[in-house]
């Protein structure tokens, strides 16, 4: 990944991860993390069943009891601040 591309996505990554990358050591750390994660592309996954992941389109119950249905609005109504529907942690 080119340095130009990384520098374009740095502000978004900082906002999403709450970690500052806007200096040379931060960009280096980010580049190393991306290179480390790129190793996953070399893993042979032929014949491996995909993991089941809960998402918005499928309800995966973990227990055999009565589930109480809640909506995203129910959960986020007490949030002090949301960005694009996600909770935002305070900056320190």
């Amino acid at each position: 990944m080119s340095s130009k591309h990384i520098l374009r996505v740095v502000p978004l990554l900082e906002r999403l991860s709450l970690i500052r990358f806007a200096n040379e050591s931060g960009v280096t750390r980010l580049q190393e993390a991306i290179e480390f994660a790129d190793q996953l592309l070399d893993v042979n996954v032929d014949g491996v069943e995909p993991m089941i992941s809960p998402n918005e389109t499928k309800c995966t119950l973990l227990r055999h009891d009565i589930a109480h249905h809640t909506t995203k609005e129910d959960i986020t109504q007490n949030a002090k601040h949301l960005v694009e529907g996600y909770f935002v942690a305070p900056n320190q």
Side-chain angles (χ1 to χ4, degrees):
M1 183 177 286
S2 73
S3 294
K4 284 183 181 180
H5 182 69
I6 289 175
L7 291 176
R8 284 189 305 200
V9 298
V10 163
L12 174 64
L13 291 173
E14 283 183 334
R15 185 167 55 97
L16 294 174
S17 68
L18 303 175
I19 298 172
R20 299 218 183 276
F21 298 114
N23 56 41
E24 192 170 327
S25 66
V27 172
T28 301
R29 183 174 55 236
L30 175 61
Q31 222 164 4
E32 290 170 353
I34 291 170
E35 289 170 7
F36 180 78
D38 279 345
Q39 295 177 47
L40 293 173
L41 298 174
D42 298 331
V43 175
N44 181 2
V45 293
D46 294 338
V48 177
E49 291 288 324
M51 292 176 50
I52 295 176
S53 176
N55 60 37
E56 296 176 4
T57 61
K58 180 180 176 184
C59 181
T60 305
L61 301 177
L62 301 178
R63 304 184 305 216
H64 297 291
D65 59 3
I66 299 171
H68 300 283
H69 181 72
T70 58
T71 64
K72 182 178 179 181
E73 290 75 23
D74 291 338
I75 295 170
T76 59
Q77 71 181 350
N78 293 322
K80 186 171 184 176
H81 186 64
L82 295 172
V83 173
E84 296 178 6
Y86 292 94
F87 289 95
V88 178
N91 289 337
Q92 294 185 338

